[in-house]
Amino acid sequence: MRNTLYISAIFALLLNMVGCTSNFDSENTDPYGVTEEQAAIDFVNIGGYLTTMQKYIYNVTTGLQTEQNLTGDAFAQYMVPPTPFQSNRNNVTYNFVWYSQQWDITYSNEMSNLSLIVNKYNVDTEYPNFYAWGQVLKIFAMQRVTDNYGPIIYSDYGAESAPYSYDSQKDVYYAFFDELDAAIDTLTTYADAGSTAFEKFDAAYGGDVAEWVKAANSLRLRLAMRLANVDPTKAQEEAEAAISQEYGVMETNDDNFMVDLGSSVHPLWYFSDSWSDCRMCATVESIMGGYSDPRLPMYFETATDGDLADGTYKGIRQGIAIDSKSTYVDFSGISSTITGSTTAQIMTAAEVSFLRAEGSLRGWSMGDLSAEEYYNQGIQQSFEQYGLSSYSTYEDDETSTFADYVDPKNSDNSFSASSDITIKWDASESNERNLERIITQKWIALFPDGQEAWSEFRRTGYPKLLPVVVNYSSGKISTDEFVRRTPYPDAEYTSDAEGVAGGVTLLGGVDTGGTRVWWDTGTGTNF
C-alpha cells in the first residue's frame, strides 16, 4: 500500500530521532551516532512515530484547512470562509473541490506509521504496550476517515500491490471494537504496573497510561453511540463495556485528550488571523447568541465591520453567493482563546458526559447519574474547560431559544430560528426532544472540532442546521438533506480502480456527497 505516501514525513522524523544529518544510513553506522540498539533502550526507535500519530488525528499543520476546515467545520456550520474560493463554487456551496486531504494525510501519518514500526521493529510482539497505544491513536484517526467517506481500506492495508480491497463501514467499526478491546486490556496491565515508557513521546498525558485507558474507553463510547440507530444491540453492548471497564471514561477536564502543539501555532490562527479565510458561521450566532451563551467570546471575536455596532458577534451563512472577500471579511473571526491555544482538542470529558446522557436516555447502563444529570454535567464541564462558572444559571434557562439571523449585506441570506429548543432539561418532554437538547449542547461543547460535530448532526439531525442558499452540486446533493459524506479522492480511481469500485458497491450508492454512510440511517427519528 503506497509506501511513498509517508516517506517524506518518516524521513523528517528519523532525522529528529538520530540527529541532524542528511544521510540516515551513514548515521546508523557512525560510531559517534545513535545506533538502533542504543535507540531501543529508551524506545526512541519507535516512540517518535507515535508522537507524530497524535499530532495528525486533528492535523496540527495548515493542511487542516482543506482536510477539515473547508469540509467538516463548514458542514457542521461552525466556521465558513468569507473568501469566494473557486468563483464561489467550492465545498461550502456543495461543489466539492477539496476532498482528498483527510484520506491522504491520515493514511500517510497514521496507518503507515503504525505499519512501519510493526514491520521494522515487530512492535506488535516486542513492544505490546506501544502497539496497543498505536492502535488507539490509529482508531481515533481512522474513525474520522470512515465517517467522512464510508467504506475504506482497512483490513487490506499493507498489501503489496493493487487492488487494495475496501471494507464496509460496518466491518471497519467492528474491527475498531475488537482492536480497542485488545488494546485496552494490554494498556490496563501496564497502567496497573505504573509503566512510564510513554513519557518522552506522549504529547497529551505525559506518559500516564491510565489516562490512555480512559481515552480508549471514551473513544469506544463515542464509536458505540454512532451505531445507536443502525445497530442498537451492538451499540449498547460496546457503550456499557466502555463504562464498566476498570479505569472507566473521562470524568473531569484533567482527563481531556488535548495534544500539545509544542512550538507550533494552532492551525486555526493561520486560517482566521493570518489569511482571513475563516469566519464564524451564522448558525453559531443564532444558537449561541440566542442562548446568550458565555462561551461565545471564548470561541469568536466581535466583528469589526463598520456597518455593525461595537461588540456585535456576526456570522456568515453557509452556502451563499459571495461576490468579494471584502463583503464579509470583517465579520467575527476566531477568538485568541482558540487560535492562541497551545493544544489541539481531540476529545473531552464534556463530550463523554453528553454521550452518557444519551445512553441513559436510551436505557443503557451509563453510571450512577440520570440522563438529566449527565446533561447538566456536560454543560458544567464545558464551561469549566474555558474557566467559566455561570453554568448553573445557564442550565436553568427555560426561555432562551435560537435567534433569528439578519444578514446586513444581503437580506436573501437572513433566516428565522431553526428550532425553539430551550436549554433547561424537561423530563415531561419526549426522548426525541431531550435528545435535541443533548446534541445541541454537545455541538456547542465540541467546538472547534467540526468533524465530530458534523458526524453527530448526520447521525441525529441535531442541532437543526440551515440549508444552503446556493447549491452548485448539480443535483448530487439535496439542499434539504444536506451533505452526507465526502467523495473518494480522484487518485483512488487511477491507482486502485478495482478497489474503489468495490468501495462504492459497499457504500450502496453513487460516490457523491449526497449518499449516506452506513450509520446515517436517514429515518428522521432517533427512537
Side-chain angles (χ1 to χ4, degrees):
M1 174 67 184
R2 304 177 185 77
N3 290 336
T4 56
L5 286 175
Y6 58 83
I7 288 176
S8 59
I10 298 306
F11 185 64
L13 182 60
L14 289 173
L15 291 182
N16 289 331
M17 292 192 294
V18 302
C20 296
T21 175
S22 60
N23 191 326
F24 179 62
D25 290 334
S26 65
E27 181 70 54
N28 275 343
T29 58
D30 184 349
Y32 301 102
V34 178
T35 66
E36 289 280 1
E37 291 77 13
Q38 291 168 327
I41 294 173
D42 292 325
F43 310 108
V44 174
N45 55 337
I46 56 175
Y49 295 101
L50 299 174
T51 304
T52 297
M53 290 178 71
Q54 290 172 75
K55 294 189 175 184
Y56 279 91
I57 297 171
Y58 178 92
N59 188 345
V60 300
T61 76
T62 54
L64 183 75
Q65 184 180 39
T66 52
E67 179 182 355
Q68 176 168 320
N69 192 242
L70 293 167
T71 51
D73 291 347
F75 300 147
Q77 298 188 11
Y78 276 167
M79 301 166 263
V80 291
T83 312
F85 294 116
Q86 305 289 324
S87 300
N88 210 52
R89 294 174 178 269
N90 56 62
N91 290 24
V92 180
T93 54
Y94 290 178
N95 180 55
F96 269 98
V97 292
W98 306 292
Y99 48 92
S100 63
Q101 288 285 75
Q102 178 71 263
W103 183 283
D104 294 343
I105 291 174
T106 309
Y107 274 105
S108 62
N109 289 282
E110 303 291 341
M111 295 291 281
S112 61
N113 275 8
L114 188 58
S115 179
L116 186 150
I117 58 176
V118 167
N119 292 333
K120 186 172 183 179
Y121 300 112
N122 299 315
V123 69
D124 51 336
T125 55
E126 298 296 321
Y127 308 98
N129 53 338
F130 280 89
Y131 181 65
W133 185 25
Q135 289 281 71
V136 173
L137 296 174
K138 177 194 70 173
I139 296 166
F140 262 112
M142 294 307 295
Q143 169 229 323
R144 300 163 82 88
V145 177
T146 187
D147 287 350
N148 254 19
Y149 297 96
I152 59 172
I153 301 167
Y154 198 70
S155 64
D156 203 31
Y157 183 83
E160 291 297 323
S161 61
Y164 310 107
S165 298
Y166 283 53
D167 293 319
S168 70
Q169 190 172 51
K170 178 178 180 179
D171 287 347
V172 171
Y173 261 77
Y174 273 56
F176 286 164
F177 291 128
D178 289 344
E179 290 167 347
L180 278 174
D181 201 36
I184 288 166
D185 282 349
T186 298
L187 291 174
T188 295
T189 299
Y190 282 87
D192 290 345
S195 172
T196 60
F198 300 164
E199 187 173 5
K200 293 181 179 179
F201 317 104
D202 186 354
Y205 296 119
D208 190 332
V209 183
E211 289 291 347
W212 281 107
V213 179
K214 292 181 186 179
N217 285 326
S218 300
L219 172 60
R220 188 175 193 172
L221 178 59
R222 174 196 277 179
L223 297 175
M225 197 60 70
R226 198 76 93 234
L227 309 191
N229 292 336
V230 70
D231 197 351
T233 300
K234 181 68 169 177
Q236 180 175 357
E237 173 191 333
E238 295 295 338
E240 291 179 348
I243 296 299
S244 63
Q245 202 274 341
E246 175 183 341
Y247 283 93
V249 293
M250 297 175 186
E251 298 272 4
T252 72
N253 284 316
D254 288 340
D255 298 327
N256 291 352
F257 184 3
M258 311 286 286
V259 175
D260 188 348
L261 298 175
S263 60
S264 301
V265 175
H266 198 291
L268 291 177
W269 178 86
Y270 291 101
F271 316 153
S272 180
D273 294 13
S274 182
W275 304 343
S276 298
D277 281 337
C278 180
R279 293 293 179 260
M280 182 174 81
C281 185
T283 309
V284 174
E285 178 187 338
S286 173
I287 297 176
M288 297 185 74
Y291 285 160
S292 299
D293 197 306
R295 289 166 290 185
L296 184 55
M298 302 292 105
Y299 293 177
F300 292 97
E301 306 283 357
T302 55
T304 58
D305 190 295
D307 293 339
L308 302 171
D310 290 345
T312 299
Y313 292 91
K314 180 54 64 176
I316 308 168
R317 184 170 180 177
Q318 186 214 328
I320 63 172
I322 300 178
D323 295 326
S324 169
K325 183 171 184 174
S326 62
T327 306
Y328 293 101
V329 73
D330 292 328
F331 281 19
S332 293
I334 304 174
S335 169
S336 59
T337 303
I338 302 295
T339 60
S341 176
T342 59
T343 58
Q345 177 179 304
I346 308 298
M347 193 170 190
T348 66
E351 179 190 343
V352 171
S353 290
F354 291 125
L355 288 166
R356 297 175 83 168
E358 180 177 348
S360 180
L361 196 65
R362 293 180 179 279
W364 303 351
S365 297
M366 291 288 99
D368 296 332
L369 303 183
S370 66
E372 177 181 0
E373 289 169 326
Y374 281 124
Y375 170 76
N376 287 333
Q377 180 174 276
I379 293 173
Q380 176 179 339
Q381 289 164 332
S382 180
F383 271 56
E384 290 177 340
Q385 183 179 342
Y386 292 95
L388 301 171
S389 59
S390 54
Y391 51 82
S392 59
T393 301
Y394 180 86
E395 68 191 25
D396 286 337
D397 185 343
E398 56 185 354
T399 58
S400 295
T401 60
F402 294 12
D404 297 341
Y405 168 78
V406 175
D407 184 339
K409 307 296 183 179
N410 184 346
S411 61
D412 290 344
N413 303 325
S414 301
F415 57 80
S416 298
S418 58
S419 175
D420 63 354
I421 196 69
T422 55
I423 300 169
K424 185 176 174 62
W425 188 269
D426 188 345
S428 69
E429 292 198 302
S430 67
N431 283 351
E432 192 70 43
R433 183 78 165 166
N434 279 319
L435 179 64
E436 183 179 355
R437 286 190 170 88
I438 292 170
I439 303 300
T440 299
Q441 287 300 321
K442 184 197 282 189
W443 180 86
I444 295 172
L446 283 169
F447 186 86
D449 188 3
Q451 175 67 50
E452 184 61 23
W454 176 42
S455 291
E456 285 295 81
F457 165 72
R458 289 179 287 157
R459 177 178 72 89
T460 66
Y462 304 124
K464 293 183 178 178
L465 303 181
L466 277 299
V468 295
V469 178
V470 178
N471 183 336
Y472 286 129
S473 72
S474 300
K476 296 174 184 177
I477 302 169
S478 166
T479 297
D480 294 333
E481 295 186 9
F482 301 86
V483 62
R484 310 313 301 187
R485 63 179 287 275
T486 303
Y488 290 121
D490 293 339
E492 285 299 293
Y493 284 92
T494 56
S495 65
D496 188 21
E498 183 178 338
V500 73
V504 174
T505 298
L506 291 169
L507 179 64
V510 291
D511 181 19
T512 68
T515 300
R516 296 173 184 269
V517 299
W518 169 63
W519 48 253
D520 179 7
T521 60
T523 59
T525 182
N526 293 281
F527 293 92

